[in-house]
């Protein structure tokens, strides 16, 4: 895999041998989430406001490490594990994107995310799936089996968040696979401007009853972390209402 690094207007970007952006970091704010889809993947932080949550998070796919870095900074109690299949991506993240060293609460492993999910016995409060190759393919990460394994690895009250692409040929099938794994009870957000589609699934998705509180919770999170989810909250509320009508 060819790793390319570009930099423009204070933003450093990672590419896999093409102009397609695999990750980005603003040099003046390295722990902020620069890309819209990464911000939307943090929406489950609104679902549980307990100060101790999340206790654990698993990231399948590293990229520049933006989301693990964000969570490490703003939820220091969280035990973070990352599984990345490509050694060159880990090396680039450490060299160019301020990826923290491994520690008791931050562990980056080399390996196949699908294999890890099938074999691990650990459970997590949050599972993030964001793994693509240089051709925007996800391979075994885009399967009913993998999504089902992800669901089985959730703690009670936990959430799986997946980054899908609306401009893939099988995007509709990808969404359907995710929906099937979560018994047709997953939240599918409208595409971001980049074409990324964020899917959210969990055991208790239909028990979300704080829709009216989401704007206030979003403002609170903004004050705490600088993460602005106001537009995403509108998309989330619409998606949850649509799901409720279908079920």
């Amino acid at each position: 895999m060819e790793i390319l690094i570009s930099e423009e207007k204070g933003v450093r970007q990672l590419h896999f041998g093409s102009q397609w952006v695999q990750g980005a970091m603003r040099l003046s704010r390295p722990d902020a989430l620069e890309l819209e889809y990464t911000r939307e993947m943090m929406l489950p932080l609104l679902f549980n406001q307990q100060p101790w949550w999340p206790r654990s998070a698993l990231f399948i796919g590293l990229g520049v490490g933006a989301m693990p870095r964000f969570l490490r900074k703003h939820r220091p109690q969280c035990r973070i594990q990352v599984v990345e299949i490509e050694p060159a991506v880990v090396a680039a993240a450490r060299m160019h994107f301020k990826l923290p060293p491994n520690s008791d609460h931050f562990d980056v492993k080399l390996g196949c995310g699908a294999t890890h999910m099938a074999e691990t016995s650990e459970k997590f409060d949050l599972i993030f799936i964001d793994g693509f190759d240089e051709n925007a393919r996800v391979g075994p990460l885009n399967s009913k089996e993998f999504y089902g394994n992800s669901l089985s690895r959730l703690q009670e009250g936990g959430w799986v968040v997946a980054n899908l692409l609306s401009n893939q040929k099988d995007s509709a099938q990808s969404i359907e696979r995710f929906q099937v794994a979560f018994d047709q009870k997953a939240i599918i957000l409208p595409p971001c401007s980049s074409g990324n589609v964020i899917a959210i699934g969990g055991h208790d998705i239909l028990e979300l009853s704080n829709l009216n509180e989401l704007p206030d919770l979003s403002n609170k999170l903004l004050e705490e972390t600088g993460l602005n989810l106001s537009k995403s909250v509108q998309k989330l509320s619409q998606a949850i209402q649509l799901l409720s009508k279908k079920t």
Side-chain angles (χ1 to χ4, degrees), residues 17 20 22 29 43 48 55 58-59 64 80 82 96-97 119 137 142 158 180 182 191 208 211 220 222 227 236 245:
W20 188 51
Q22 296 280 351
R29 294 184 295 154
L43 279 167
N48 190 327
R55 297 156 296 188
L58 171 64
F59 291 85
V64 302
I80 296 170
V82 183
H96 301 286
F97 296 95
E119 295 179 350
R137 296 174 303 197
N142 186 10
V180 168
F182 290 89
L208 290 174
L211 293 185
K220 180 182 177 183
L222 174 61
L227 179 61
L236 176 65
K245 291 178 181 179

Side-chain angles (χ1 to χ4, degrees), residues 29-72:
R29 294 184 295 154
D31 292 315
L33 295 174
E34 181 67 20
L35 300 181
E36 179 186 5
Y37 88 88
T38 61
R39 297 193 292 269
E40 290 202 341
M41 290 187 79
M42 287 294 161
L43 279 167
L45 292 180
L46 302 178
F47 300 165
N48 190 327
Q49 294 290 301
Q50 296 295 329
W52 46 262
W53 195 91
R55 297 156 296 188
S56 57
L58 171 64
F59 291 85
I60 301 297
L62 174 65
V64 302
M67 291 185 291
R69 284 200 317 271
F70 175 87
L71 206 59
R72 178 177 179 267

Side-chain angles (χ1 to χ4, degrees), residues 90-245:
V90 178
R94 294 205 189 281
M95 184 176 298
H96 301 286
F97 296 95
K98 300 183 183 296
L99 184 71
N102 282 3
S103 65
D104 290 343
H105 272 66
F106 193 91
D107 185 24
V108 178
K109 301 175 182 291
L110 285 173
C112 171
T115 300
H116 182 82
M117 195 73 77
E119 295 179 350
T120 185
S121 60
E122 296 184 69
K123 292 201 172 186
F124 302 88
D125 291 321
L126 287 173
I127 296 175
F128 298 90
I129 302 166
D130 184 22
F132 296 91
D133 67 12
E134 63 271 26
N135 297 309
R137 296 174 303 197
V138 293
L141 300 186
N142 186 10
S143 68
K144 297 175 187 177
E145 180 182 10
F146 173 72
Y147 293 136
N149 287 337
S150 302
L151 177 60
S152 71
R153 305 285 17 111
L154 284 182
Q155 296 278 13
E156 182 178 354
W159 302 94
V160 174
V161 190
N163 173 28
L164 310 177
L165 283 177
S166 62
N167 56 5
Q168 285 182 308
K169 291 182 179 179
D170 67 341
S171 59
Q173 292 91 333
S174 298
I175 292 172
E176 178 60 22
R177 292 182 195 112
F178 193 91
Q179 289 277 31
V180 168
F182 290 89
D183 195 26
Q184 302 298 328
K185 297 175 184 176
I187 297 170
I188 309 297
L189 298 183
C192 301
S193 57
S194 58
N196 300 82
V197 173
I198 304 307
I200 305 173
H203 294 292
D204 308 317
I205 203 148
L206 293 182
E207 296 180 15
L208 290 174
S209 58
N210 63 341
L211 293 185
N212 294 331
E213 301 174 15
L214 285 177
D216 290 338
L217 295 174
S218 176
N219 289 334
K220 180 182 177 183
L221 189 65
L222 174 61
E223 293 175 0
E224 292 176 352
T225 68
L227 179 61
N228 190 343
L229 292 175
S230 57
K231 292 182 179 179
S232 299
V233 160
Q234 297 176 20
K235 294 168 61 176
L236 176 65
S237 297
Q238 294 170 359
I240 293 176
Q241 291 171 357
L242 179 62
L243 176 63
S244 299
K245 291 178 181 179

